[in-house]
Amino acid sequence: EAQVTQNPRYLITVTGKKLTVTCSQNMNHEYMSWYRQDPGLGLRQIYYSMNVEVTDKGDVPEGYKVSRKEKRNFPLILESPSPNQTSLYFCASSPVGGAGGPQHFGDGTRLSIL
Amino acid sequence: AQSVAQPEDQVNVAEGNPLTVKCTYSVSGNPYLFWYVQYPNRGLQFLLKYITGDNLVKGSYGFEAEFNKSQTSFHLKKPSALVSDSALYFCAVRDWNSGNTPLVFGKGTRLSVIA
């Protein structure tokens, strides 16, 4: 089954404790992306990747890092999480550099930073 | 810069009635337009897209959307709403003239279909 898998689905942690949210897709997509969803703000893009070893900042990259060492994986790293990073996070992937192709989304990761 | 506006935070409709969820966009070139739906505790699911061609696009679950270039709109429609259509709907746009710019989403419209 074609899917985007995020882990963990839920995480409560404390300020400053490094965390990684994993994202994996099994569709051989070139394009992968991370979004955060906040009430009243919709989805905002954090980082995206056009292919292996190619990453770019989205609209709200501050406080986040990503890497794309393999085509299927695109982890999101919070080196020193802060409460304003409490949010619902989605990973997405698509073929063709995300141009005309619809994105496939994971089921989300709800992060609470205390 | 590209942008999307969904002017209604909430749309309420009675089951069996037609529904419309509004979306307007702004791009400097030609748009790729998408609608996604989000059910509770799930990621966004693709409903339909407009790339080129016929202005009326048909998608999943009986939804359709009409591309109107002069009004820069891409409203989502369904002739007869179901209670199971209740969800959060997102419109998104990308300018296909602008290289690798990412997809830009609207803030979402919550649809409630009342039995």
Side-chain angles (χ1 to χ4, degrees), chain A residues 37 45 90 99-100 103 106-107, chain B residues 32 36 38 42-43 49 102 107:
Chain A
Q37 182 180 14
Q45 190 174 54
F90 288 101
Q103 294 193 29
D107 283 338
Chain B
Y32 287 135
Y36 289 84
Q38 185 182 27
R42 298 300 304 275
K49 68 178 179 181
K107 294 183 180 180

Side-chain angles (χ1 to χ4, degrees), chain B residues 8 10 21 34-36 39 43 45 51 59 82 93 103 106-107:
Chain B
E8 300 153 318
Q10 174 95 29
V21 183
F34 301 83
W35 276 102
Y36 289 84
Y39 299 102
Q45 296 177 30
I51 304 297
L82 301 172
V93 69
L103 205 54
K107 294 183 180 180

Side-chain angles (χ1 to χ4, degrees), chain A residues 9-10 31 35 37 40-43 45 48 50 88 90 97-103 105-108, chain B residues 32 34 36 38 41-46 49 51 88 90 94 99-108:
Chain A
R9 291 290 313 278
Y10 304 91
Y31 182 91
Y35 297 88
Q37 182 180 14
L41 297 177
L43 271 77
Q45 190 174 54
Y48 64 98
M50 303 298 291
L88 180 58
F90 288 101
Q103 294 193 29
F105 283 80
D107 283 338
Chain B
Y32 287 135
F34 301 83
Y36 289 84
Q38 185 182 27
N41 298 316
R42 298 300 304 275
L44 278 68
Q45 296 177 30
F46 169 74
K49 68 178 179 181
I51 304 297
L88 188 56
F90 289 95
R94 186 175 181 276
N100 294 324
T101 56
L103 205 54
V104 172
F105 286 84
K107 294 183 180 180

Side-chain angles (χ1 to χ4, degrees), chain A residues 25 65 71 74 104 108:
Chain A
Q25 51 95 2
K65 284 175 57 177
K71 198 171 189 179
F74 190 46
H104 298 255

Side-chain angles (χ1 to χ4, degrees), chain A residues 57-114:
Chain A
K57 296 178 180 178
D59 296 320
V60 288
E62 295 77 21
Y64 304 94
K65 284 175 57 177
V66 293
S67 68
R68 187 93 183 271
K69 294 186 171 65
E70 306 162 282
K71 198 171 189 179
R72 63 183 292 123
N73 295 324
F74 190 46
L76 179 70
I77 303 155
L78 284 71
E79 294 270 4
S80 183
S82 62
N84 64 11
Q85 293 177 299
T86 293
S87 188
L88 180 58
Y89 291 85
F90 288 101
C91 180
S93 74
S94 67
V96 202
Q103 294 193 29
H104 298 255
F105 283 80
D107 283 338
T109 296
R110 188 168 291 281
L111 286 184
S112 294
I113 315 294
L114 305 177

Side-chain angles (χ1 to χ4, degrees), chain B residues 70-93:
Chain B
S70 62
Q71 297 185 5
T72 61
S73 68
F74 190 56
H75 302 329
L76 182 70
K77 301 182 180 185
K78 187 173 182 181
S80 178
L82 301 172
V83 171
S84 57
D85 293 329
S86 298
L88 188 56
Y89 290 81
F90 289 95
C91 183
V93 69

Side-chain angles (χ1 to χ4, degrees), chain A residues 40-54:
Chain A
L41 297 177
L43 271 77
R44 293 179 293 169
Q45 190 174 54
I46 303 170
Y47 270 95
Y48 64 98
S49 170
M50 303 298 291
N51 214 323
V52 176
E53 302 292 0
V54 180

